[in-house]
């Protein structure tokens, strides 16, 4: 009996059973380590996203990049569909946002025929040729806009009022496009400056639409900004404007990043 009892205890406490327990504990340890790593990564990602939300840079996020030989454009994945809807809804205004970073100087760009046509045609005395050329090039490359008439080809009655920079066909809709720059020579561009600019330009858009002899359905106000901070100021101010000032105009805010910003905002 003593020998049998000893053999029984040996089977219960022998090496095979200890190996099985050790193997299970190792698997549990590996599983727990992987679970902890995944949990830590998840917590870190959430923490990072939270920091981005409350950080200093609260610019609109983007998720899609469009790259041409002249420039690259950053925008949200829904911006194209949103902008198309805003253009086609003829009774309602809209606001969209993109970022543009040029690969080369404007003079060295391989521009489309429409942009070359705008750069070659005389305008009404403005000093923002580059901003108008890039506006036309951006709308063509990004949304497939087709240039119809330049600034001096658009007719008005009575004359002497606000003018539209060019007209184009966009998403099957004929629109007028007015281009402006959110800039300030001295000091920081603030909410007061943004309100003054938007009220002046949006009122001019309404005036041009009323006096034109063309048959566009609505207008786009293309606003160039030198930084994301100025873009945030412009968009925040836009939401405070009354509906009669917004009318049915679509405002497209574009940040000119890098060296291209200097060319757009210098007196040309």
């Amino acid at each position: 009996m003593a020998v049998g009892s000893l053999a029984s205890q040996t089977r219960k406490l022998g090496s095979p059973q200890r190996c099985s327990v050790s193997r299970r504990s190792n698997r549990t340890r590996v599983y727990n380590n992987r679970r902890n790593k995944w949990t830590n990564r998840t917590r870190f990602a959430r923490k990072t996203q939270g920091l981005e939300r409350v950080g200093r840079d609260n610019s609109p996020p983007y998720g899609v990049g469009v790259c041409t030989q002249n420039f690259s454009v950053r925008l949200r994945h829904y911006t194209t569909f949103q902008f198309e809807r805003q253009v086609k809804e003829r009774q309602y205004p809209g606001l969209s946002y993109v970022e543009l970073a040029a690969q080369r100087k404007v003079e060295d760009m391989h521009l489309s025929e429409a942009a070359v046509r705008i750069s070659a045609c005389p305008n009404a005395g403005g000093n923002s040729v580059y901003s108008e050329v890039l506006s036309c090039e951006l709308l063509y490359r990004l949304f497939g806009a087709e240039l119809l008439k330049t600034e001096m080809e658009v007719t008005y009655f009575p004359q002497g009022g606000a003018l539209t920079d060019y007209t184009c066909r966009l998403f099957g809709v004929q629109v007028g496009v007015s281009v402006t720059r959110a800039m300030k020579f001295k000091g920081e561009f603030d909410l007061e400056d943004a309100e003054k600019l938007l009220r002046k330009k949006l009122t001019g858009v309404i005036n041009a639409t009323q006096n034109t002899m063309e048959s566009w359905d609505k207008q786009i106000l293309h606003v160039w900004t030198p930084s994301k901070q100025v873009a945030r100021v412009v968009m925040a101010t836009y939401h405070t404007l009354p509906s009669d000032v917004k009318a049915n105009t679509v405002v497209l805010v574009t940040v000119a990043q890098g060296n291209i910003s200097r060319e757009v905002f210098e007196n040309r």
Side-chain angles (χ1 to χ4, degrees):
M1 293 295 295
V3 175
S5 177
L6 180 60
S8 175
Q9 292 178 9
T10 303
R11 284 195 298 270
K12 291 181 180 179
L13 302 177
S15 58
Q17 188 174 4
R18 288 200 300 267
C19 291
S20 176
V21 173
S22 177
R23 211 175 281 121
R24 282 199 297 268
S25 63
N26 288 336
R27 291 174 182 173
T28 305
R29 190 180 303 110
V30 171
Y31 171 77
N32 289 335
N33 290 339
R34 291 178 178 176
R35 184 179 61 179
N36 292 337
K37 287 181 180 179
W38 181 87
T39 304
N40 292 335
R41 289 176 183 174
T42 305
R43 290 175 178 173
F44 177 77
R46 292 175 179 174
K47 183 178 180 181
T48 304
Q49 293 174 0
L51 290 176
E52 290 178 353
R53 286 194 296 268
V54 301
R56 296 181 59 185
D57 186 5
N58 293 321
S59 59
Y62 49 80
V64 178
V66 177
C67 185
T68 70
Q69 59 182 340
N70 296 324
F71 51 74
S72 59
V73 182
R74 296 176 177 178
L75 65 160
R76 289 288 288 175
H77 62 277
Y78 56 76
T79 299
T80 301
F81 305 102
Q82 171 183 279
F83 187 67
E84 180 179 0
R85 177 178 56 81
Q86 292 171 352
V87 171
K88 289 183 176 180
E89 290 182 349
R90 304 181 182 181
Q91 298 180 350
Y92 301 99
L95 176 67
S96 293
Y97 171 91
V98 298
E99 299 175 4
L100 182 144
Q103 265 61 301
R104 58 188 70 183
K105 295 182 179 180
V106 179
E107 297 176 350
D108 299 332
M109 289 184 177
H110 300 288
L111 300 172
S112 62
E113 294 182 4
V116 172
R117 180 179 162 192
I118 289 183
S119 64
C121 292
N123 56 22
N127 56 2
S128 57
V129 178
Y130 280 174
S131 61
E132 296 172 12
V133 170
L134 287 175
S135 171
C136 179
E137 185 72 6
L138 176 65
L139 292 182
Y140 168 71
R141 299 292 181 184
L142 196 57
F143 304 114
E146 176 189 354
L147 178 65
L148 299 177
K149 291 187 176 182
T150 61
E151 184 175 12
M152 299 307 296
E153 294 172 343
V154 179
T155 57
Y156 300 89
F157 183 82
Q159 299 181 355
L163 304 179
T164 295
D165 291 313
Y166 62 92
T167 65
C168 65
R169 182 172 289 106
L170 187 61
F171 305 121
V173 180
Q174 184 171 340
V175 298
V177 182
S178 296
V179 185
T180 188
R181 299 172 293 175
M183 56 186 297
K184 191 174 184 179
F185 291 104
K186 294 183 179 181
E188 183 178 354
F189 191 89
D190 55 21
L191 294 173
E192 183 178 352
D193 299 319
E195 182 177 2
K196 181 178 179 181
L197 174 69
L198 289 177
R199 282 184 174 273
K200 176 183 177 181
K201 293 300 180 179
L202 288 173
T203 302
V205 165
I206 296 173
N207 181 265
T209 300
Q210 292 174 344
N211 296 338
T212 185
M213 303 293 291
E214 310 298 331
S215 58
W216 63 60
D217 298 299
K218 65 189 309 180
Q219 284 215 57
I220 297 172
L221 177 61
H222 194 172
V223 183
W224 290 95
T225 67
S227 65
K228 297 179 183 179
Q229 172 61 28
V230 175
R232 290 195 294 270
V233 171
V234 171
M235 290 187 289
T237 304
Y238 171 83
H239 292 296
T240 65
L241 298 176
S243 57
D244 60 328
V245 176
K246 297 178 183 178
N248 69 334
T249 306
V250 177
V251 177
L252 175 63
V253 179
T254 304
V255 180
Q257 297 179 326
N259 295 331
I260 193 68
S261 179
R262 190 171 10 180
E263 295 188 84
V264 171
F265 291 93
E266 69 181 6
N267 290 329
R268 288 285 306 191

